[in-house]
Amino acid sequence: MASDSAVLWLASASPTRKKLLENAGFRPRVQISQFDESLVTVQDPAAHVTTLAQCKAEVVVRSLPAEERAAPTLVLGCDSILYLHGQVRGKPESAAVAIATWEQMRGQSGDLYTGHCLIDAAKQRMVVRHRVTRVHFVDATDEEVHSYVSTGEPVCCSGCFTLEGLGGSLVERIDGCYTNVLGLSLPLLRAMLRELGFRLLFTPAETLILPHHDPH
């Protein structure tokens, strides 16, 4: 890693988000925020995901040692929900809830919202954004719904499906950013980094997050 490359902390327990970043060349460090998501009750989907993303990132920033916060250090918090029929759909509470949710989702379209909060710990600057991707679901049969829920996969994720997993067969198509559906929009992350004064440098070994060149 270059000496002036920023360290990226991911404030998320999601293995998919970590894998997304790693596949894009980043070397994220993971610190789970343990933030109690039930404290956020706002029903507006954009406000819901951005508030949760910000709360998660802020918790992790406060937990970092002083020397980490003084160095070029970035903390990324994310949160995703499916907005369907005017309701926020997070992680289902049980298999029965997942089945009931899929009975409403099949043959329909919903909006996958992901909130992103990126904090520059050293400079105490923050950018909060969200992105929306339209998801069109197949008209799944009862057998498909019940057998899919029985695998346990939809109970572990917001919106009761994973595009990159078994649930991918039940998604007809998407309109918008693919990685946003997986929980982290990579092009939005790039834009947020630039807002905070950083640029990406791609190398065979890793993708570096460097400060913008000073033209003076």
Side-chain angles (χ1 to χ4, degrees):
M1 180 183 291
S3 60
D4 58 347
S5 179
V7 173
L8 179 63
W9 285 88
L10 177 62
S12 173
S14 167
T16 302
R17 290 190 180 108
K18 181 174 181 286
K19 188 67 174 176
L20 268 177
L21 290 170
E22 291 173 340
N23 287 346
F26 299 102
R27 298 292 177 262
R29 301 179 187 180
V30 175
Q31 177 66 47
I32 302 171
S33 71
Q34 305 294 353
F35 178 77
D36 184 358
E37 297 188 15
S38 67
L39 296 174
V40 177
T41 58
V42 61
Q43 287 301 300
D44 176 77
H48 185 94
V49 294
T50 52
T51 299
L52 278 171
Q54 181 176 337
C55 289
K56 293 175 183 180
E58 288 177 337
V59 167
V60 169
V61 168
R62 289 194 294 268
S63 73
L64 294 177
E67 59 270 22
E68 284 277 359
R69 295 197 300 270
T73 299
L74 296 161
V75 177
L76 175 65
C78 299
D79 188 78
S80 299
I81 59 95
L82 179 70
Y83 193 63
L84 183 75
H85 300 323
Q87 291 185 313
V88 169
R89 311 277 181 168
K91 292 181 182 178
E93 301 163 0
S94 64
V97 172
I99 289 172
T101 300
W102 260 103
E103 287 174 345
Q104 296 180 43
M105 289 165 54
R106 56 186 175 186
Q108 303 295 313
S109 301
D111 294 316
L112 196 293
Y113 284 74
T114 297
H116 303 65
C117 176
L118 187 64
I119 299 176
D120 182 339
K123 295 183 179 179
Q124 298 184 337
R125 296 181 61 215
M126 176 172 62
V127 176
V128 181
R129 299 285 183 270
H130 76 279
R131 183 150 286 182
V132 186
T133 303
R134 188 78 166 166
V135 184
H136 304 271
F137 299 100
V138 304
D139 190 8
T141 65
D142 287 346
E143 182 181 45
E144 288 171 332
V145 168
H146 285 260
S147 62
Y148 178 45
V149 171
S150 71
T151 68
E153 181 182 274
V155 182
C156 301
C157 51
S158 293
C160 292
F161 78 100
T162 57
L163 186 59
E164 77 284 9
L166 301 176
S169 298
L170 303 179
V171 175
E172 185 71 39
R173 71 179 194 277
I174 65 170
D175 300 324
C177 178
Y178 171 79
T179 60
N180 188 60
V181 181
L182 304 186
L184 195 170
S185 171
L186 290 172
L188 181 57
L189 173 60
R190 172 190 173 273
M192 294 169 71
L193 286 166
R194 293 181 68 82
E195 282 191 62
L196 289 177
F198 293 91
R199 73 187 199 278
L200 298 182
L201 180 67
F202 299 99
T203 76
E206 65 179 301
T207 300
L208 302 175
I209 302 173
L210 302 174
H212 278 307
H213 289 302
D214 186 346
H216 304 294

